[in-house]
């Protein structure tokens, strides 16, 4: 019997949703031998690509990745896995969408596909996780797929308050599927140009222009004012598009 391909889910605290979805049988990654590797909060920031591998540079981060992995894997090297899934990884696509949806919704502005492609490429150049993926790819990684952990959940926090999406960009709630499609297209082309893949947020999970339906919020989201993290059902829906 042929051996299974190997897949690793790498990321920040958002990979907990994937782990729970996998453990609860909401998704199987059929055909893959799966591992998880990453860290939350400040420990995630201490993961770097160095000397041909992703590694945690400080003791606390090293302990965290070993706990998340559970198989004693201290490093992620390019030839360790057939597929690397970069999940969450502080990609912050809400920043890109809020700014450019606002422009697309301005009746006095017109933005070409070339301009959007340039903006998407520039945005990716500024993302640390993308730079790490490029180095991993250059050193021989076969396939790297980025998965955005999702727009903020609607109804969890007041997005009109200072620092909220609607404080700076109130009209994004008017965005339609065709507006979002243009931005996803630009991002997909930018990732493809780097030899990387992207899984876009499923359209059926999006509400109010660029927010995630609150049914996909993590447990106790309102109590904890956590509009960022998602339930296992969301991770399963997202990844079933590809795996």
């Amino acid at each position: 019997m042929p051996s299974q391909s190997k897949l690793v889910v790498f990321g920040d605290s958002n990979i907990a949703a994937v782990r729970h979805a996998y453990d609860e049988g909401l998704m199987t990654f059929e055909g893959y031998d799966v591992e998880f590797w990453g860290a939350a909060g400040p420990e995630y920031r201490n993961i770097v690509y160095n000397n041909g591998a992703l590694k945690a540079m400080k003791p606390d981060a090293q302990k965290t990745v070993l706990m998340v992995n559970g198989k004693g894997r201290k490093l992620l090297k390019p030839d360790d896995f057939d597929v690397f899934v970069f999940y969450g990884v502080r990609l912050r696509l809400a920043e890109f969408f809020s700014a450019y949806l606002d422009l697309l919704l301005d009746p006095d502005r017109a933005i070409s596909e070339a301009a959007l492609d340039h903006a998407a490429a520039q945005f990716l150049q500024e993302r640390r996780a993308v730079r790490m993926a490029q180095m991993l790819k250059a050193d021989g990684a076969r396939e790297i797929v980025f998965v955005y952990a999702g727009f903020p959940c609607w109804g969890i926090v007041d997005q009109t308050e200072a620092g909220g999406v609607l404080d700076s960009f109130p009209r994004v709630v008017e965005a339609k599927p065709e507006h979002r499609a243009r931005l996803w297209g630009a991002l997909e082309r930018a990732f493809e140009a780097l030899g990387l893949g992207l899984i876009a947020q499923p359209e059926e999970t999006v509400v109010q222009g660029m927010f995630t339906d609150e049914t996909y919020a993590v447990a106790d989201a309102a109590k904890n004012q956590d509009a960022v993290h998602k339930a296992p059902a969301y991770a399963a829906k997202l990844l079933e598009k590809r795996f």
Side-chain angles (χ1 to χ4, degrees), residues 26-223:
L26 299 178
M27 60 175 301
T28 63
F29 285 114
E30 185 175 357
Y32 290 100
D33 180 16
V34 178
E35 290 187 30
F36 294 83
W37 201 92
E43 282 77 24
Y44 172 78
R45 291 194 291 272
N46 286 316
I47 294 174
V48 302
Y49 192 82
N50 182 261
N51 291 329
L54 282 167
K55 62 182 69 175
M57 299 301 290
K58 294 187 177 181
D60 285 347
Q62 292 165 3
K63 292 177 183 177
T64 299
V65 297
L66 287 173
M67 179 182 68
V68 169
N69 177 252
K71 296 187 177 182
R73 189 180 298 276
K74 296 181 179 180
L75 310 173
L76 285 187
K77 295 180 290 185
D79 58 355
D80 284 342
F81 294 90
D82 300 288
V83 181
F84 291 79
V85 176
F86 276 48
Y87 192 97
V89 293
R90 309 289 170 86
L91 197 53
R92 305 192 195 286
L93 291 187
E95 296 177 6
F96 180 83
F97 272 81
S98 58
Y100 284 95
L101 284 176
D102 185 70
L103 288 175
L104 292 177
L105 290 162
D106 186 341
D108 297 323
R109 301 287 294 271
I111 306 176
S112 68
E113 295 307 307
L116 289 179
D117 285 352
H118 177 77
Q122 182 64 41
F123 183 84
L124 295 191
Q125 288 178 11
E126 298 168 358
R127 309 271 75 80
R128 189 172 74 93
V130 174
R131 295 195 296 271
M132 290 194 295
Q134 286 182 272
M135 290 186 282
L136 193 68
K137 184 77 172 178
D139 285 342
R142 297 177 184 86
E143 182 178 3
I144 302 175
V145 180
F146 275 75
V147 187
Y148 176 47
F151 299 127
C153 289
W154 181 253
I156 304 301
V157 301
D158 187 349
Q159 294 289 348
T160 65
E161 292 185 347
V165 173
L166 301 183
D167 175 43
S168 301
F169 304 104
R171 62 183 164 200
V172 298
V173 295
E174 302 168 17
K176 301 291 191 293
E178 55 266 30
H179 298 125
R180 293 188 291 272
R182 288 189 68 189
L183 298 187
W184 284 122
L187 287 164
E188 287 169 355
R189 291 188 293 273
F191 272 107
E192 184 178 358
L194 299 176
L196 309 170
L198 171 68
I199 297 179
Q201 177 161 351
E203 187 63 32
E204 64 268 26
T205 69
V206 181
V207 298
Q208 299 294 324
M210 58 154 287
F211 293 90
T212 300
D213 191 318
E214 65 182 302
T215 60
Y216 294 106
V218 73
D220 295 323
K223 176 183 176 182

Side-chain angles (χ1 to χ4, degrees), residues 3-26:
S3 60
Q4 288 184 307
S5 295
K6 299 183 68 176
L7 178 150
V8 64
V9 181
F10 160 67
D12 53 20
S13 58
N14 287 287
I15 67 173
V18 188
R19 185 58 184 261
H20 288 309
Y22 183 68
D23 290 346
E24 293 168 19
L26 299 178

